[in-house]
């Protein structure tokens, strides 16, 4: 039985879905980058456990941005293949299948040490993923960064809220201070 994911109708629908995903992913990442919690995390003076957690997640954030670009490029490449001809042939459909379904997006290259390879082995290990798997990676990385960003903003808001009552009491005390002072010229 042929793979449904090789049919022209399925590939066209998949391409349309992935193109819509590109726009949504970009909007979500831009929203994340403009979130007040991220500004708090990236500001100087972050310390302690929060700073340690942020240091660990900076690489995830960097990977997120890099892989958003890879995702966009993969979908754009698929669109270019689809637009080559108004009536694509088997070659174009096969290429679309490769780009949208098969592991075709290079996400990592890792050198293989000489001690770990044989005479004809590759010097690098190349990791390829399919577009759906890449989106899962993006979702996971986004969630990790988002959770810390939101947590940081919420903690900041709680800290500010906790300062409201003491600030109000301080303002009231300062306002009452002149009434408590002895009149000028009063010896005590």
């Amino acid at each position: 039985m042929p793979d449904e994911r090789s049919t022209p109708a399925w590939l066209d629908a998949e391409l349309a879905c992935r193109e819509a995903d590109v726009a949504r992913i970009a909007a979500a990442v831009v929203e994340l980058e403009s979130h007040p919690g991220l500004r708090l995390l990236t500001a100087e003076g972050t310390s302690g456990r929060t700073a340690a957690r942020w240091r660990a997640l900076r690489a995830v954030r960097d990977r997120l941005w890099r892989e958003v670009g890879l995702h966009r490029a993969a979908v754009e490449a698929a669109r270019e293949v689809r637009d080559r001809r108004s009536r694509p042939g088997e070659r174009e459909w096969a290429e679309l299948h490769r780009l949208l379904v098969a592991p075709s997006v290079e996400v990592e290259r890792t050198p293989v040490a000489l001690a770990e390879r044989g005479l004809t082995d590759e010097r690098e290990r190349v990791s390829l993923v399919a577009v759906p798997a890449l989106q899962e990676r993006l979702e996971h990385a986004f969630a990790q960064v988002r959770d810390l960003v939101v947590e940081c903003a919420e903690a900041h808001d709680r800290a500010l809220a906790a300062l409201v009552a003491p600030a109000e009491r301080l303002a009231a005390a300062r306002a009452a201070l002149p009434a408590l002072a002895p009149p000028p010229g009063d010896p005590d």
Side-chain angles (χ1 to χ4, degrees), residues 21-35 38 60-69 71-72 135 137-139 141-143 145-146 149:
D21 289 345
V22 166
R24 284 191 295 271
I25 289 167
V29 172
V30 167
E31 185 178 357
L32 177 69
E33 287 296 313
S34 63
H35 194 280
L38 185 63
V60 173
R61 177 183 172 220
D62 293 346
R63 190 187 85 219
L64 173 67
W65 272 106
R66 187 175 63 76
E67 290 185 0
V68 163
H71 179 265
R72 184 181 58 251
Q135 278 192 225
R137 289 169 60 102
L138 290 171
E139 190 67 50
F142 178 82
V145 176
R146 178 208 58 214
V149 165

Side-chain angles (χ1 to χ4, degrees), residues 76-130:
E76 286 173 357
R79 173 47 64 194
E80 288 173 13
V81 168
R82 179 60 180 92
D83 288 347
R84 268 188 217 148
R85 297 169 55 190
S86 60
R87 294 177 58 120
E90 282 188 43
R91 187 171 157 206
E92 286 81 18
W93 294 121
E95 181 68 3
L96 274 172
H97 182 271
R98 184 188 72 76
L99 289 169
L100 294 173
V101 179
S104 61
V105 182
E106 181 182 315
V107 292
E108 188 175 31
R109 282 183 177 263
T110 309
V112 178
L114 179 62
E116 297 174 15
R117 65 178 195 260
L119 182 62
T120 60
D121 292 340
E122 296 292 329
R123 297 176 67 180
E124 288 182 312
R125 193 170 292 120
V126 178
S127 296
L128 298 174
V129 298

